Amino acid sequence: MKKVIVTGGAGFIGSHTIVQLHAAGYSPIVVDTFVNSDRRIIGRLERIVGQKIPTYEVDCCDRDAVEGVLQREADVLGVIHFAAHKAVGASVKNPLDYFRNNLGSLGSVLEAMLGSGVKLFVFSSSCTVYGQPDTLPVTETSPIKAAESPYGRTKQMCEDIINDVVASGADLRAVTLRYFNPVGAHPSALIGELPLGTPENLVPYITQTAVGLRERLTVFGNDYPTSDGTCVRDYIHVLDLASAHVRALAWLQARTGAPPVNEVFNVGTGRGTSVLEAITAFEKVSGTKLNYTMGSRRPGDVIETYADVTKAQEQLQWRAKLSIEDAMADAYRWQLALEANPL
Ligand code: UD1
């Protein structure tokens, strides 16, 4: 059995990673507090994978509790650490909450792993660490810019912490994945993104507007120096993103016994899509017209970013297979299913 602990396993990216881990022959185990996720997602995951998923309601900041899970499960191959706060706006209002939670949980998960002899670690980072890149597409060696928010700073600090632990000679092999913009949902429409309150992110705002939960989408700025004046992002289907974690784990397994390492990979499609192009893709696959209006720029937004994914292609043998249309169709199906059959 190849047991893998997935912290934040009931969350958006975590739940899709559980599906892909199971499909690849791993035995995923969920560790989640359910403060920003719904425990009923676990039952839905079990329907998708057709078997029970061991689940622990544990706060990753509690090192003893995490260590308890590792010891109780025994023979754990590795940990994929998703559990973190991720709302940019909330992090500006409550920075200490973000530093305590995001840094504290990383520290205690790593301590618990080192104390239990678990050596393989995959960390969720973000393209936010690059800020506005000087050249596009952005490679893993592009400079790390001053963070725009406490949330972004926690991701940068977490990367530094992992590097310092590896540099100390600790018996740890890590992969840090810098995600571009995760979107979409599982095609079964059983799992997907569950934003708390009003969404900050584009795609949930679009799908909620389409079903009438929001009156209209505001496009944050159409006077940027881009092809159509709106910001450009690299939207990656969450299932492709989830697969990258499975490949990262396999990459780490092949390094068992090798010196400690923390290798960073961009995870995106390599393609830039503007906000207006994203809206057009949604309208095309949904067959609906979206109610939207042009608004002012959102403070802190970068103008344009998309990934150079050569490194992941060459070393992880991974590439994104799904398109923005696939992602929009799946996100819309998920939103419609939620309306018809709430959790
Ligand atoms: C945001 C975070 C990023 C984080 C990621 C996690 C900021 C500045 N960045 O990325 O650090 O890693 O979420 O998911 O918040 N848009 C609209 N109208 C809306 C919502 C969004 O026009 O109602 C636009 C934004 O201006 C942006 C694009 O859509 O150009 C994508 O926005 P969003 O989904 O919030 O992602 P990011 O800002 O790229």
Side-chain angles (χ1 to χ4, degrees):
M1 279 226 293
K2 296 183 285 183
K3 291 187 185 177
V4 180
I5 302 285
V6 182
T7 76
F12 177 40
I13 308 171
S15 58
H16 291 80
T17 300
I18 299 273
V19 174
Q20 301 295 51
L21 283 169
H22 177 266
Y26 293 93
S27 297
I29 296 156
V30 171
V31 169
D32 206 300
T33 50
F34 303 106
V35 292
N36 189 18
S37 60
D38 195 301
R39 83 179 57 243
R40 286 165 291 189
I41 288 295
I42 303 297
R44 288 171 168 225
L45 273 175
E46 289 173 342
R47 271 173 69 190
I48 295 172
V49 305
Q51 68 181 58
K52 279 268 166 217
I53 298 167
T55 301
Y56 295 86
E57 185 171 345
V58 158
D59 184 340
C60 288
C61 294
D62 182 345
R63 191 198 60 189
D64 291 346
V66 177
E67 205 161 330
V69 174
L70 293 178
Q71 273 156 19
R72 168 129 183 237
E73 287 293 338
D75 297 327
V76 170
L77 176 70
V79 175
I80 305 182
H81 183 48
F82 293 103
H85 291 343
K86 61 163 189 179
V88 172
S91 81
V92 174
K93 290 197 188 83
N94 303 305
L96 290 174
D97 185 36
Y98 272 67
F99 290 120
R100 183 192 50 74
N101 186 65
N102 292 4
L103 305 182
S105 62
L106 173 70
S108 59
V109 167
L110 289 177
E111 278 184 343
M113 287 176 64
L114 296 175
S116 313
V118 178
K119 300 178 172 63
L120 310 187
F121 185 65
V122 182
F123 180 67
S124 296
S125 190
S126 166
C127 67
T128 196
V129 302
Y130 299 118
Q132 176 61 61
D134 300 325
T135 53
L136 288 168
V138 53
T139 68
E140 289 83 355
T141 52
S142 299
I144 302 296
K145 298 281 181 69
E148 287 285 354
S149 70
Y151 158 76
R153 204 166 344 270
T154 66
K155 290 296 174 191
Q156 296 178 342
M157 293 166 86
C158 284
E159 290 197 9
D160 288 342
I161 289 169
I162 299 166
N163 284 331
D164 285 345
V165 172
V166 164
S168 76
D171 200 2
L172 184 76
R173 271 156 285 281
V175 162
T176 292
L177 298 180
R178 290 183 181 149
Y179 312 153
F180 282 68
N181 286 55
V183 292
H186 193 266
S188 66
L190 285 167
I191 57 170
E193 196 166 3
L194 273 177
L196 272 186
T198 308
E200 279 191 13
N201 297 118
L202 180 65
V203 174
Y205 210 105
I206 288 177
T207 58
Q208 290 197 7
T209 304
V211 300
L213 288 176
R214 310 279 153 208
E215 198 190 334
R216 81 170 69 82
L217 171 81
T218 302
V219 175
F220 295 143
N222 65 341
D223 57 352
Y224 284 106
T226 60
S227 57
D228 62 21
T230 64
C231 290
V232 170
R233 297 286 184 274
D234 185 340
Y235 296 96
I236 175 159
H237 196 297
V238 65
L239 276 180
D240 278 332
L241 175 55
S243 300
H245 294 78
V246 178
R247 300 300 314 152
L249 208 55
W251 186 91
L252 288 167
Q253 279 179 276
R255 267 149 201 80
T256 306
V261 66
N262 177 30
E263 199 70 39
V264 176
F265 295 95
N266 285 340
V267 189
T269 64
R271 279 187 305 276
T273 301
S274 73
V275 177
L276 288 178
E277 287 167 342
I279 293 171
T280 303
F282 177 81
E283 290 183 328
K284 183 175 145 203
V285 298
S286 68
T288 64
K289 276 276 160 218
L290 192 75
N291 188 14
Y292 67 91
T293 180
M294 297 302 173
S296 46
R297 295 180 175 194
R298 178 171 68 176
D301 264 347
V302 306
I303 302 168
E304 183 166 19
T305 188
Y306 51 93
D308 184 320
V309 287
T310 312
K311 187 176 175 188
Q313 283 175 6
E314 288 180 356
Q315 296 193 38
L316 301 181
Q317 277 83 51
W318 170 92
R319 68 168 67 223
K321 299 193 178 107
L322 299 166
S323 66
I324 180 92
E325 281 85 10
D326 295 323
M328 288 297 190
D330 289 333
Y332 188 45
R333 192 180 306 115
W334 159 243
Q335 188 71 58
L336 290 171
L338 258 189
E339 291 308 296
N341 182 20
L343 278 174

